[in-house]
Amino acid sequence: MEVVSAVSVTPPERLSSGITELDRVLGGGLVPGGVALIGGQPGIGKSTLLLQAGGLVASTGTPVLYMSGEESSAQVALRAKRLGVASENLLLYCGSDLEDALLALKTGLNTDSKTDAKNIGLFILDSVQAVRAPGETGWPGTPNQVRAVAQLAVDAARAAQIPAVLVGHITKDGRLAGPMLLEHMVDTVLTFSGEGYSSYRMLRAVKNRYGNTDELGVFEMREDGLAAVEDKSGLYWNRSDVAVPGVAMTIALEGSTPLVAEVQTLATPTAFPYPKRTSRGIELNRFQLLAAVLEKRAGILCSAHDLYLNIAGGLSIQDPSADLASCVSLASALRDRPLRGDCCYLGEVGLAGEVRPVTRLGSRLKEAERLGLRCAVVSAGERGVSAPGGIKIERVDNLGEALKKGGL
Ligand code: TYD
Ligand code: MG
């Protein structure tokens, strides 16, 4: 037994992956002895991201072992060259036998007879589904194999006190393929995702023993590999000067990252007995409820129109702070009158038409200011908010007042 206050809690030394966005999502970099698992759909860019990171670490003089059970040395080397990260400290092992790689972690790797063995400082395993654990029967990728492979990699990383990053495939429904246990065996689980048609990729931590899980990393897949996207809000905002009816801005939270979101609604007179409602980026049930509240509490007739709502840029918003922007956007579409383009709407809308406060208003407003917005319509119930200099705060109690502030 130990007394909590007497346990030494010096923060772990971190190894930078060379990619700031990746370091941030990891909670400040890779941790020696720590194992991260990165999951994502095939073709999303897991191998690219890790080869880039491995190459950058190697370029600082730390030998990196990149083991691929999926691609040949020629394929990986070609990619490393294309990414501009081929160096003498980036060591490849292409094959499916994990034993050889684990031995190299333990004893170091001899790349030629004249120099000493290189002590590996980072191990990348691509992927846990493609390699075979010594002594374990069954094809690679079967639950037993995956569990054994992950456990061996975890043990080896701990013993050698070096960081390891494992690639994991995910199934169609978005879960890591293999045993459920996999996520419990490692210290950090990251997901790498993106919409099929877009070149943007999101990196998030879903579990992190060494940091929080609120950070979002955004990359763009380019010809020469993945590039960090600094202006995340820029992804979702058109910045068009032409005011279009049905467009309202809000600032959503993705983890702790504020992102500007453009809610767009289109309303057309319905030709059906039941008007049609579709939504993308906001749950359909929520949208239907908001339309009902708008009709009942603010007197804006919705039932004669087909309504289509979309969050621009493919963003999907879970938190209710976009309610107000959705209602205002809907009213703007139905009235066919545009809103002023430099205003955002932040509030949850209740069934009585009341506008409620949102979480972390301060950081949302800061992002709004950074993007050049000039006004924010928020709930009158927001307390202790000091608005950033450039933003005028308009407080409202209910939907009707919010529509007035929006000039509708
Ligand atoms: P990859 O890293 O192989 O994906 P994963 O390991 O997750 O399966 O990335 C595959 C896709 O990325 C492939 O379709 C080509 C594209 N790509 C680029 O657009 N630019 C690049 O520099 C690289 C290396 C890949
Ligand atoms: Mg791959």
Side-chain angles (χ1 to χ4, degrees), residues 71-389:
E71 289 162 297
S72 68
S73 318
Q75 282 172 319
V76 180
L78 183 70
R79 181 183 286 181
K81 287 201 181 105
R82 206 151 63 77
L83 295 170
V85 296
S87 79
E88 58 178 22
N89 279 320
L90 183 59
L91 310 168
L92 296 184
Y93 170 59
C94 294
S96 63
D97 197 343
L98 187 60
E99 203 164 15
D100 293 347
L102 296 181
L103 192 68
L105 293 189
K106 210 160 148 188
T107 61
L109 199 63
N110 260 100
T111 46
D112 66 66
S113 52
K114 284 181 232 109
T115 52
D116 290 340
K118 288 183 172 172
N119 284 323
I120 308 296
L122 168 63
F123 177 48
I124 298 170
L125 175 59
D126 188 359
S127 64
V128 283
Q129 280 87 8
V131 303
R132 188 190 294 277
E136 194 66 43
T137 53
W139 289 96
T142 54
N144 276 349
Q145 278 285 357
V146 171
R147 187 184 305 125
V149 165
Q151 190 61 57
L152 285 170
V154 168
D155 293 345
R158 298 243 194 288
Q161 275 302 297
I162 61 164
V165 186
L166 317 180
V167 172
H169 290 229
I170 59 171
T171 57
K172 280 221 176 73
D173 54 359
R175 300 164 72 119
L176 277 156
M180 283 290 287
L181 219 73
L182 195 55
E183 294 179 32
H184 301 288
M185 293 163 73
V186 297
D187 301 300
T188 304
V189 179
L190 308 181
T191 61
F192 204 36
S193 60
E195 294 278 339
Y197 56 85
S198 144
S199 59
Y200 294 110
R201 304 284 184 261
M202 312 286 174
L203 185 69
R204 296 184 179 87
V206 288
K207 160 183 169 174
N208 196 353
R209 286 185 188 149
Y210 298 115
N212 68 39
T213 52
D214 281 344
E215 298 290 350
L216 169 74
V218 183
F219 297 89
E220 185 181 0
M221 182 61 95
R222 300 213 193 130
E223 289 287 299
D224 55 349
L226 289 155
V229 175
E230 306 289 343
D231 180 11
K232 300 178 175 54
S233 285
L235 295 178
Y236 302 109
W237 186 17
N238 290 327
R239 282 175 212 264
S240 155
D241 290 335
V242 191
V244 180
V247 174
M249 315 287 286
T250 189
I251 313 286
L253 277 189
E254 175 71 57
S256 64
T257 309
L259 291 175
V260 63
E262 195 179 304
V263 186
Q264 307 177 332
T265 311
L266 184 69
T268 53
T270 188
F272 305 104
Y274 296 104
K276 200 174 151 85
R277 273 101 179 79
T278 67
S279 71
R280 219 188 65 176
I282 283 180
E283 216 202 326
L284 181 60
N285 280 340
R286 189 87 203 152
F287 175 46
Q288 287 173 327
L289 183 143
L290 292 172
V293 173
L294 188 71
E295 177 160 322
K296 187 76 184 168
R297 305 294 178 206
I300 296 199
L301 193 72
C302 297
S303 43
H305 284 79
D306 291 336
L307 302 173
Y308 307 90
L309 180 141
N310 179 37
I311 307 291
L315 188 68
S316 178
I317 305 180
Q318 258 84 34
D319 85 298
S321 69
D323 285 358
L324 186 58
S326 305
C327 289
V328 175
S329 145
L330 196 48
S332 158
L334 286 159
R335 293 247 153 111
D336 209 19
R337 266 197 295 212
L339 297 153
R340 53 185 277 201
D342 59 357
C343 198
C344 59
Y345 299 82
L346 303 161
E348 180 181 344
V349 173
L351 290 183
E354 80 277 22
V355 176
R356 300 213 195 106
V358 300
T359 55
R360 301 205 201 195
L361 182 65
S363 59
R364 297 186 206 239
L365 291 177
K366 242 188 256 152
E367 180 69 357
E369 187 199 31
R370 191 182 72 76
L371 293 163
L373 298 182
R374 290 281 160 266
C375 123
V377 178
V378 305
S379 162
E382 298 281 5
R383 309 233 170 272
V385 195
S386 55

Side-chain angles (χ1 to χ4, degrees), residues 15-60:
L15 173 72
S16 170
S17 67
I19 300 177
T20 324
E21 294 282 285
L22 174 58
D23 283 350
R24 210 158 43 75
V25 176
L26 284 167
L30 298 154
V31 178
V35 178
L37 176 69
I38 174 166
Q41 305 259 343
I44 206 76
K46 302 179 293 298
S47 305
T48 306
L49 180 69
L50 294 185
L51 193 60
Q52 257 177 280
L56 289 168
V57 171
S59 71
T60 65

